[in-house]
Amino acid sequence: LERLRELAGAGRLVDVGIGTGLLLHLAQEAGFDVLGCEISPGAAAKAKEEFGVAVMVGDFLQSEFDVAPRVITMADVLEHTPDPRVFLEHALASLEPGGALFVAVPNHRSTLFGMADILARLPLLGSIAERLYVPNHYWYFTPATLRRLVEDVGFEVSEVRGETPYL
């Protein structure tokens, strides 16, 4: 959140695919005007109940904002979209000029995925590796492919960072 404020300043932060709503809660505590965009009515209701954050229910691609977001975040979302390019184009069109986009996706070149690829070749352990390749992951990104896509859409990449993978 501090890095996003450095890049774009304060203002409206829209979190796409809110998960539990924790990021919205922390962003609100950090002074952002927050709004969630969530396709699951259940997740939206739970976040509203637990954190008291505003969440609009619906498809991000159909969303229109009364206040242009200064920041859009999407953590573990892009790999679930049928067309990531269209998703990112909508984010770019929605953002206030000078705004920032935060994208987090599983790194298909991480140690975790490398080990999964090895395990997948072993007859008795292949089923363990299959758990990383879930049916609702339409896309698998590496740092290079994500950067290329984001730049092709029209964003300027300011930072690429890896995190410790988790199961």
Side-chain angles (χ1 to χ4, degrees):
L1 291 171
E2 289 176 18
R3 181 68 174 129
L4 291 171
R5 186 183 307 281
E6 288 173 14
L7 290 169
R12 169 67 59 93
L13 179 146
V14 171
D15 185 29
V16 180
I18 64 166
T20 64
L22 180 60
L23 178 61
L24 284 171
H25 170 70
L26 295 173
Q28 189 171 43
E29 285 189 341
F32 286 95
D33 171 30
V34 301
L35 175 65
C37 182
E38 175 58 51
I39 201 162
S40 166
K46 186 169 173 79
K48 285 179 190 178
E49 179 184 325
E50 185 167 350
F51 296 114
V53 292
V55 180
M56 56 189 266
V57 176
D59 185 340
F60 174 65
L61 292 177
Q62 307 304 316
S63 63
E64 295 180 13
F65 304 103
D66 58 340
V67 175
R70 191 83 185 129
V71 174
I72 295 177
T73 59
M74 46 182 78
D76 295 316
V77 170
L78 204 58
E79 68 273 17
H80 298 277
T81 64
D83 191 337
R85 176 178 295 280
V86 171
F87 217 72
L88 291 171
E89 288 170 347
H90 184 66
L92 183 62
S94 299
L95 272 172
E96 182 179 314
L101 172 70
F102 169 81
V103 176
V105 295
N107 177 1
H108 195 60
R109 288 291 179 255
S110 70
T111 304
L112 179 64
F113 275 97
M115 292 304 297
D117 287 343
I118 292 168
L119 291 175
R121 294 184 185 107
L122 302 174
L124 298 176
L125 298 176
S127 63
I128 294 171
E130 289 174 6
R131 293 179 185 190
L132 289 175
Y133 296 95
V134 295
N136 62 358
H137 280 194
Y138 299 119
W139 302 96
Y140 293 93
F141 296 97
T142 68
T145 60
L146 182 60
R147 175 185 283 273
R148 189 168 46 247
L149 175 61
V150 167
E151 288 177 341
D152 284 352
V153 166
F155 285 100
E156 177 184 324
V157 176
S158 68
E159 186 174 345
V160 176
R161 187 172 64 195
E163 298 294 330
T164 304
Y166 56 89
L167 290 175

